[in-house]
Amino acid sequence: MNDDPRRIHCDRHGAQRPAFVCGHLVSGVGLGFVEPEGPQDEDASDEQAAWCDRCETARLAGGGWTAQSEAAAGITLVCAVCFEASRARNTHWMEGVARGWRHPDAR
């Protein structure tokens, strides 16, 4: 058992920091990767969080997270390494280019 409250045990990556994603991002590919920007609600945690474009559309349509959009999102606890893998699989390429990301094989 891991006694560090800021760590979770991932079957794949061992003890890691926790993060949260919508259930679609867990195994999705090319779904978009939206992270919160700016100040968060006072009850927001400081863990990384992200959701897909479909969940963002629902969130915006409801004027923010609602019980319905949260239920549809199926927020899932993942480790920080799984979070980054999800980001890599789901970030739209042009968004990554705009952020200065390059493929590791690019010269």
Side-chain angles (χ1 to χ4, degrees), residues 22-105:
C22 72
H24 310 114
L25 294 179
V26 172
S27 59
V29 176
L31 302 179
F33 195 85
V34 180
E35 294 180 83
E37 295 180 3
Q40 303 304 306
D41 295 337
E42 64 185 45
D43 63 344
S45 70
D46 63 345
E47 281 84 14
Q48 291 179 291
W51 49 91
C52 69
D53 289 346
R54 186 170 78 184
C55 289
E56 177 67 349
T57 299
R59 186 185 75 82
L60 293 174
W65 289 110
T66 64
Q68 184 177 6
S69 62
E70 285 185 20
I75 301 300
T76 303
L77 175 67
V78 298
C79 82
V81 178
C82 289
F83 182 89
E84 293 303 330
S86 180
R87 179 198 312 270
R89 283 191 321 274
N90 288 289
T91 297
H92 298 301
W93 173 244
M94 292 311 295
E95 290 174 14
V97 169
R99 293 181 182 173
W101 295 356
R102 293 177 38 142
H103 190 279
D105 294 337

Side-chain angles (χ1 to χ4, degrees), residues 1-9 15-18 47:
M1 174 98 189
N2 186 356
D3 294 332
D4 184 349
R6 301 291 292 172
R7 301 275 178 184
I8 61 168
H9 177 78
Q16 297 291 332
R17 288 188 53 86
E47 281 84 14

